[in-house]
Amino acid sequence: MSNAPKVAGFKEISFWQEDGIGVVTILSDETGKVTISFFEEFLKAISLAITDEKVKTVAITGSNDCFLTGLRNFGQDQTIRYLDMITTVASFLAMLDKPVFSLVNGECTDLGVELALLTDVCIAADGARFNISENYSPVMGLSRTISKFPYFMNGDAEVGKNCDVIFPKDTFLDRSNDFILANIRSYMGMARRERLGDINGILSKERSAFLSKFLRGEAKI
C-alpha cells in the first residue's frame, strides 16, 4: 500500500484504489485534527468506493502519526451542520456493502475512535494510542459500537481491548495490505449491519444528548 498521493478536489483526505482496496487517508494537521470539510470529502470518497467495481473493500487510515483526534477551526454556528454531516457519514459506513477496515497508524481520540469502531476490522500500528475522553459526547454510534470490545481500554493498542490486529510500525502499511487482501469476506457488510442494529435510532439519541449538553455548555467536540 503506497503513501497517500495528492488527489485533485480533495484537501482533507486522499483517495485512491490499489489492489482492489479503496484507500481513504485522513490528511489531518500534526495534532490529528481536521476541519468540518473533512466529512464532505469523506462522503464523496465513500460514494466513489460504492460505485467503483474495482474497489472490493475500503481502508481508512491517517497521516502525521495520527489517525483522527477531532476538529479544528470549529465555530458554534457550525454545530447543526457538524451533526448532520457526522450522522450521514456514520449511516453510510454502517450500510456499506463492501468490507471496511480501519488502519490506526497513531493517535486516535474521541471522534477517531468512533470512526474506527464503525469499521469491520481495526488494524493498529504498534504504539498507536486510543483514547475516549471522560467528557466526550458520542455522535457516531459509540454507545453501540463500543460493545465490540467487552472492556474498551484507553492507551496503547491491545488486541481485544481497543483493536483487532497489531502490526509493527515500520512495516505497517505493507502488512495491513496483505492482511486485508487475505481477509476480505463478502458477508462482512451484512455482519456489520447486524452488529450495529438500529444505528439510525442510536444516532438520533446521541444527537439529542449532544444537543442537550451543547446547550448547557458541556459538549466536547
Side-chain angles (χ1 to χ4, degrees):
M1 191 179 293
S2 308
N3 291 323
K6 294 292 183 180
V7 180
F10 291 129
K11 294 182 179 179
E12 301 274 345
I13 68 166
S14 184
F15 175 72
W16 77 102
Q17 185 271 135
E18 183 175 337
D19 298 330
I21 304 172
V23 183
V24 180
T25 300
I26 304 168
L27 302 179
S28 64
D29 64 13
E30 64 279 1
T31 66
K33 293 185 177 181
V34 295
T35 73
I36 198 169
S37 297
F38 160 77
F39 302 106
E40 295 178 359
E41 294 187 13
F42 186 88
L43 285 171
K44 289 179 182 177
I46 295 299
S47 296
L48 290 172
I50 290 173
T51 57
D52 190 342
E53 293 183 358
K54 294 180 180 178
V55 175
K56 305 303 181 185
T57 185
V58 174
I60 305 166
T61 191
S63 56
N64 298 320
D65 290 325
C66 296
F67 182 71
L68 177 64
T69 62
L71 293 183
R72 67 180 189 274
N73 302 330
F74 183 83
Q76 290 188 349
D77 59 327
Q78 296 177 302
T79 301
I80 298 302
R81 181 187 173 206
Y82 163 71
L83 291 173
D84 288 344
M85 294 302 301
I86 204 74
T87 298
T88 304
V89 166
S91 295
F92 258 60
L93 283 178
M95 296 298 108
L96 187 62
D97 284 332
K98 299 178 182 181
V100 186
F101 295 79
S102 51
L103 280 58
V104 178
N105 57 308
E107 292 295 322
C108 181
T109 304
D110 295 337
L111 202 60
V113 174
E114 290 221 66
L115 180 58
L117 288 179
L118 275 168
T119 65
D120 301 313
V121 180
C122 178
I123 306 171
D126 189 25
R129 291 181 58 81
F130 296 80
N131 185 67
I132 301 174
S133 304
E134 185 175 351
N135 62 339
Y136 178 70
S137 300
V139 286
M140 292 184 74
L142 183 67
S143 53
R144 170 59 60 83
T145 60
I146 195 70
S147 63
K148 179 174 183 178
F149 300 107
Y151 175 73
F152 182 87
M153 184 184 75
N154 281 344
D156 291 343
E158 185 171 332
V159 172
K161 296 294 182 64
N162 48 34
C163 65
D164 299 299
V165 186
I166 298 175
F167 291 130
K169 192 169 184 177
D170 58 349
T171 57
F172 181 60
L173 290 180
D174 288 338
R175 293 284 298 277
S176 296
N177 186 84
D178 292 342
F179 177 88
I180 291 171
L181 292 176
N183 289 278
I184 296 174
R185 303 290 186 269
S186 60
Y187 56 77
M188 293 173 79
M190 186 182 300
R192 183 191 330 116
R193 290 190 292 275
E194 182 67 22
R195 172 171 67 91
L196 296 178
D198 180 20
I199 186 64
N200 290 323
I202 292 165
L203 292 170
S204 178
K205 290 177 182 178
E206 289 185 349
R207 179 189 179 105
S208 295
F210 177 92
L211 285 172
S212 294
K213 287 187 177 182
F214 178 78
L215 292 173
R216 298 197 301 267
E218 300 172 0
K220 178 182 183 296
I221 298 177

